[in-house]
Amino acid sequence: MTDSLRINGKRLWDAIMEVARVGATERGGCNRQALTDGDGTVRRIFRDWCEQAGLTVRVDEMGNMFARRPGTNSDLPPVVAGSHLDTQPTGGKYDGILGVLGALEVIRTLNDAGVETLAPLEILNWTNEEGARFSPAMIGSGVWSGQFDLEYGHNRADKEGITIGQELNRLGYAGSEPCRPFPIRAAFEMHIEQGPVLENEGLTIGVVTGVQGMRWYDVKLFGQPVHAGTTPMEVRRDPFMAFHRILARLYELGSQHAPEARVTFGDISVVPGSRNTVPEELKLAVDLRHPEQSSLEAMDAGMRTIVQEEAERANLGYQVDDEWHSSAVAFDAHCISAVRGAVEMLGYPHREMVSGAGHDAVYVSHVAPTSMIFIPCADGISHNEAEDASPADIEAGCNVLLHAMLERANAD
Ligand SMILES: [Zn+2]
């Protein structure tokens, strides 16, 4: 039985602190953006540690790293776990790093205990998750999963015009492994929550069931610019006469899909923007989110109907521009139950939750059974040098990762 196995919390903590020295900032965070010298240094440290643990490291054409521990049945697809080692320019010590070094600690624990698994295990380090130096975010896992093609990935440039392809060559991480999916039995990503829910509820572990879907729009209303004093109200074509009804009805739409729906108006502008003239055009930024794709689509359709009805009622022209979207992700039932089973066996206080942020696990989930494990971070703060997580919570999260990986690796 392996139920009594526990990871070495101090060893994991020391590994996180050692990596945090590379690119350390004065205020206690890290600046180790993708494919900088600092990222190269940490990649070498990580590779050395993997090789010392007896793992075989492969690097693919996007610089993604895969470190493999054989199973007793080498025909089985591996159980994988990982995240990213790059940071924001004013990033913290834990975002991403926890998921990679936690997976390494799982391997070290199994090595110490002499425990073999049926399926092989692999640790992953995805290139440029943060999207801070090279846009977009999650480009390494995005190319790997087929979301973007390789040429697109290699040609992403930073502000100086230096491309990912050039930097991979310079650092020696333009690997020979094809950047494409291979069969995977189960994939896990342990991560700080980057929100306040676990901390506020006094919980240790989030069993992550999916990632919410998001849709961004610019809603435009076109009226007629006329004099504020001389034009009677009933003959005006005033975008604001529709705007206030649209706002009220969209909040109402959100409450029809409560409690998970999010409706946000983050920006508004009017043309010409003169105090004594009815606006000719009003532009409103709308952000709709929901963890269930069907609900998000219902909100999308409802929003379009509301804008059309209210624009017509106020005798206005209108336009709805789609700016960006990301579909809702429901994680794999077996992977979720492996995490839930591990948490219950270990006895940590927990809840199920949906991620409000994007992660490499979103792209991985397109091609492999996937789920995530969240641990609390202080005040929900992330992408910030003040980002903090407690040694006890980190240890707990890694124990959950260990037993979730064992369950999937040894399942029939
Ligand atoms: Zn991250």
Side-chain angles (χ1 to χ4, degrees), residues 83-84 95-96 129-130 191 194 359:
S83 191
H84 57 96
D95 175 356
E129 190 276 346
E130 292 290 1
H191 208 282
Q194 302 181 287
H359 293 286

